[in-house]
Amino acid sequence: MNNSPLVSCIVIFLNGEAFIEETIASIFAQTYEFWELLLVDDGSTDRSTKLAKHYVQQYPDKVRYLEHEGHQNRGMSATRNLGIRHARGEYIAFLDADDIWVPTKLAEQVEILARYPSAVMVYGKTQIWYSWTNNPQNQTLDHFYDLGVPPNTLIEPPQLLLQLLRNKCQTPTTCNALIRRQVFETIGYFEESFRTMYEDQVFFAKLLLHAPVFVADTCWAKYRQHSQSCSSQEEVSGYYSKRKAFLHWLESYLACQSIHDDRIWQTLQWEKWQSEHPSLAKWLNRLPFSLQKLASKTIMRTAE
C-alpha cells in the first residue's frame, strides 16, 4: 500500500501558449510520482486553452482542466484559489505557465516536510533565468538572490515576514514553495482583490506571520525572464502604486489580527513611507544604517 502523500500541482495560465508545454513537461519529469496536475485557465484567448485540454485527454488520471464560469478573466489570486478548492493533495505546489521545476523538486521538498512536521512550507533558491533564450548575451545573466537567513533551517515567525517587508532578499516564490494543504484552512486563501502583482506576497505575509517555514539553499525552480511576463508588465506600469496597496492591506490585516510586535510595525511604517516618497527613500537608503534607523523611528512616532 502506497503511503506517499499526493501533491496537487496548480498551474495557472492566461495566454500562455509560448511556454506552457515546457512548464508541464517539467512536472512530468519529476522523480516524485504521486502528483496531480490542475491546469487553471484565467480566460485565455490563445491556443493555451486547447493545449491544456489536450493534456487532459492524454492523461485523464493525472491532469484536470479548470476555468472560471463563462471563461472569465478574474486575476491570479482568484485563479489560484480555484485550483486550491479543487485540489485533492495533502500538499500544494504552484507553477506559473512560463517557469519550470528541476526534476527533484517535489521529491526533496516532500522529504523535508516529512522531517519537519511543524513546518507548513518549504522553499529554496529560485534561479533568475535569462539563459533559456540560448542567446550568448544572456548566458551570464542568470543569478540568485540572497536568502537573507541561514539556509537549511526552520525559521520561526516573524523573521521571514520582516524580510519580505524589507524586500532586500529572496523570500518565498510561488514557483519554489511546497505548502501543506491545511494551512489554507487556517489562514485563508489568496486575496482576490490582488489580481496581479503582490498577490503572492499578500498570501505569504499571512503564512509567514503565523507559522514556521523551512528555508533551503537548494535551487528547485527557474523563473523565466521575458518582456511579456506579469512582473515585467507591472514594473513598467506601476510598481509603487501596487506596493502601496500591499502595505496598506498588511496594515489592516495586522490590526485585525491584533499583532503588536514593534519590529513588524516599525518596519511596515518605514516601508510605507518609502513607497510614498520613492525619490527621497532612494537617497536615504544610501546613508549609513544608523541614520536609516533614526528616520524609521521618527516615522513610527509620527504614525502613532
Side-chain angles (χ1 to χ4, degrees):
M1 183 177 181
N2 174 42
N3 292 319
S4 299
L6 179 68
V7 178
S8 294
C9 308
I10 297 174
V11 173
I12 67 170
F13 64 96
L14 172 62
N15 297 335
E17 67 177 341
F19 306 114
I20 192 170
E21 290 180 287
E22 188 177 359
T23 295
I24 294 172
S26 78
I27 297 174
F28 275 85
Q30 291 298 298
T31 59
Y32 188 83
E33 299 178 357
F34 305 103
W35 52 262
E36 63 170 358
L37 173 57
L38 291 83
L39 298 171
V40 194
D41 193 340
D42 192 21
S44 296
T45 57
D46 69 353
R47 291 181 57 252
S48 53
T49 298
K50 183 177 180 180
L51 290 170
K53 290 180 177 180
H54 177 68
Y55 279 96
V56 177
Q57 293 171 352
Q58 277 195 305
Y59 307 99
D61 295 333
K62 296 286 280 185
V63 185
R64 285 182 283 155
Y65 171 85
L66 300 169
E67 63 179 354
H68 301 293
E69 184 178 358
H71 202 67
Q72 297 176 73
N73 169 246
R74 293 190 51 194
M76 297 173 72
S77 292
T79 307
R80 293 197 200 281
N81 289 343
L82 179 60
I84 296 165
R85 286 195 295 270
H86 286 82
R88 300 166 180 157
E90 181 178 336
Y91 298 137
I92 303 289
F94 297 103
L95 186 59
D96 291 344
D98 50 0
D99 303 327
I100 68 170
W101 288 340
V102 302
T104 57
K105 177 194 190 287
L106 295 183
E108 293 175 355
Q109 290 187 328
V110 167
E111 194 274 332
I112 287 171
L113 288 183
R115 280 194 286 121
Y116 294 89
S118 64
V120 299
M121 179 174 73
V122 56
Y123 72 92
K125 295 189 297 185
T126 298
Q127 181 177 339
I128 309 304
W129 190 29
Y130 290 89
S131 61
W132 65 270
T133 62
N134 292 320
N135 184 331
Q137 295 179 333
N138 292 334
Q139 296 304 305
T140 61
L141 297 179
D142 290 359
H143 63 278
F144 300 92
Y145 291 111
D146 183 20
L147 290 170
V149 293
N152 305 316
T153 308
L154 189 67
I155 307 296
E156 298 287 340
Q159 185 174 353
L160 291 172
L161 175 61
L162 293 170
Q163 302 257 101
L164 183 145
L165 270 174
R166 292 167 182 149
N167 199 31
K168 296 187 184 301
C169 59
Q170 186 211 298
T171 47
T173 58
T174 48
C175 65
N176 202 325
L178 184 68
I179 307 169
R180 295 188 193 275
R181 170 63 181 273
Q182 66 194 44
V183 78
F184 294 95
E185 310 306 323
T186 303
I187 66 169
Y189 289 19
F190 287 79
E191 298 292 325
E192 298 192 4
S193 60
F194 288 82
R195 292 178 56 93
T196 55
M197 199 170 184
Y198 282 96
E199 49 85 31
D200 53 345
Q201 293 197 38
V202 168
F203 171 76
F204 286 130
K206 294 190 293 185
L207 186 151
L208 299 177
L209 181 64
H210 291 293
V213 170
F214 190 91
V215 181
D217 65 357
T218 307
C219 172
W220 285 308
K222 296 184 179 184
Y223 178 30
R224 192 188 307 265
Q225 303 299 295
H226 62 98
S227 61
Q228 298 305 308
S229 69
C230 174
S231 58
S232 295
Q233 295 294 313
E234 291 289 354
E235 284 172 2
V236 171
S237 62
Y239 166 81
Y240 284 107
S241 64
K242 297 294 173 65
R243 181 157 177 80
K244 282 193 285 187
F246 161 63
L247 295 172
H248 283 287
W249 171 87
L250 182 58
E251 184 176 45
S252 298
Y253 181 77
L254 293 173
C256 288
Q257 296 291 311
S258 299
I259 303 299
H260 303 296
D261 190 315
D262 288 342
R263 295 169 296 171
I264 298 175
W265 282 102
Q266 183 172 318
T267 302
L268 175 60
Q269 295 304 329
W270 171 241
E271 293 299 323
K272 279 181 59 184
W273 185 89
Q274 289 190 89
S275 72
E276 293 162 0
H277 305 86
S279 297
L280 185 54
K282 185 177 181 180
W283 177 78
L284 281 173
N285 280 322
R286 295 172 181 165
L287 295 176
F289 176 76
S290 58
L291 291 180
Q292 289 186 40
K293 189 173 181 180
L294 177 61
S296 178
K297 288 182 177 178
T298 301
I299 293 165
M300 183 65 181
R301 292 194 195 101
T302 302
E304 291 173 348

